[in-house]
Amino acid sequence: MGEQIDEKLRIELQRQGVWVSSMQELYNWGRKNSIWPLQFGLACCAIEMIATAASRYDIARFGGEVFRPSPRQADLMIVAGTVTKKMAPQIVRLYNQMADPKYVIAMGACAISGGPFKQGYNVLKGIDRYIPVDVYIPGCPPRPEALLHAFMELQRKIDSQKLTGADKAEFLKPEQPSEFPVPKFGQHDLEPPANPDVFHPAIIERS
Amino acid sequence: MESLEQIKSRVEAGVTGANAEIVQNGSPSQQHSLLIDNEHAVAVARFLRVDPALCLDFCSNVTGVDWLDRTLKRTTKVKKLIDGQEKEIVETIEEKIPGYLEAVYHLYSMTHKHGPVIIRMRTADRRESARLPSLTPIWRSAEFQEREIFDLYGIRFDGHPDLRRILMWDEFEDHPMRKDYREPDDYEWEPTPHDAVLERAKQYYPARPQIDGAEQITAQP
């Protein structure tokens, strides 16, 4: 916005009743205030997600109350709960079926890293092994306020995405994949155990 | 309810050829159980269910136990003649017990409001002969739990109506609740490892950077 029009002039014009905007601002404003989440829950985090959608916390204040039962109509996937290895291929498939632009919130310790079940044989150690995650919420389970905070963080991210130029949003780049390989059920584990194009574990310096 | 000894003698009298054995439980719960032989297990189970005094019509829980190969050491005092004198000598006898798998059933009676009576069965070994007769024809509630034992322990239940894996996927080959199960190696990202996890996570730690002479510089006062 700042490139096209002087910010002070814009505020002055607004005082006079003239509202100057850009296509990008209008487009992002519309997108960020009508994020439709995919309606599914995996474990106890889903109860908190339901509480967030209900009247006390009321995610409708942020335009996210329309939980869609079809991935074709959803913009946001809230991975709320423990992702078992048996469930992981279905989660990736649902993500693949969502239309771009699409976002993922990993809600709770299990969806981030496996949480208390991390050393188990049957729990995926974080959904970010297969699909890109935009916002992580720690907690076990996170409170509805934390989910609302993540939702607002996502709105901030959407608002800052550019539609044109070299640094435009990832989903607008044709080379960016919108589908990710679905892991297969192997004899001992999921195959592959992680998607190396997506999963980049942080290197921790240890003494 | 009758004592376990009474149940054992009535089972052996009621089912011809049946052989039951009381397995003591030394813990404070003192829940002793009845080990029944696999050949007559279904007949014994039917007896326990239809017997009017017991009427164990509710199977509340079925679980598995994995016993690895173990050696049992027992010390006994033996009198022996040494140099013409009789002396008491403590001898240790080592007994090798090959591994086996167990299925344990907890039975209650809804009619008489008593229980539990615990029965268990043992497989011949932990590999090819890990088979047991299914008690699902007697107690329908055992169906899913026997499937779970099949999934996690690898006991095959003969006579089960639908023996498939229930928790893991069909292509899975291991039995995760066995004591010698080793889970897949995905320890590359462990933020706070400790104990055994730390040992496995260390394989993924990057090599510490080697700076020529840097160690000596910092070591100087």
Side-chain angles (χ1 to χ4, degrees), chain A residues 85-86 112-113 118-123 125 128-129 185-190 193-194 199 201-207, chain B residues 152 165-169 171-174 176-177 181 183-193 197 205-206 208-209:
Chain A
K85 284 179 179 170
K86 205 171 177 181
I112 291 173
S113 69
K118 190 173 169 67
Q119 265 83 49
Y121 57 89
N122 60 337
V123 172
K125 288 153 187 65
D128 55 356
R129 282 174 182 254
F185 289 132
Q187 292 171 349
H188 307 287
D189 197 6
L190 289 176
F199 183 53
I203 296 163
I204 303 173
E205 287 291 327
R206 293 174 204 267
S207 52
Chain B
L152 302 181
R165 284 186 178 271
I166 190 166
L167 295 173
M168 305 304 284
W169 50 91
E171 294 87 346
F172 197 67
E173 285 184 351
D174 304 330
M177 287 291 275
Y181 171 74
E183 67 270 25
D185 186 12
D186 38 16
Y187 285 73
E188 66 270 52
W189 166 231
E190 294 287 340
T192 54
V197 177
Y205 284 6
R208 299 202 66 192

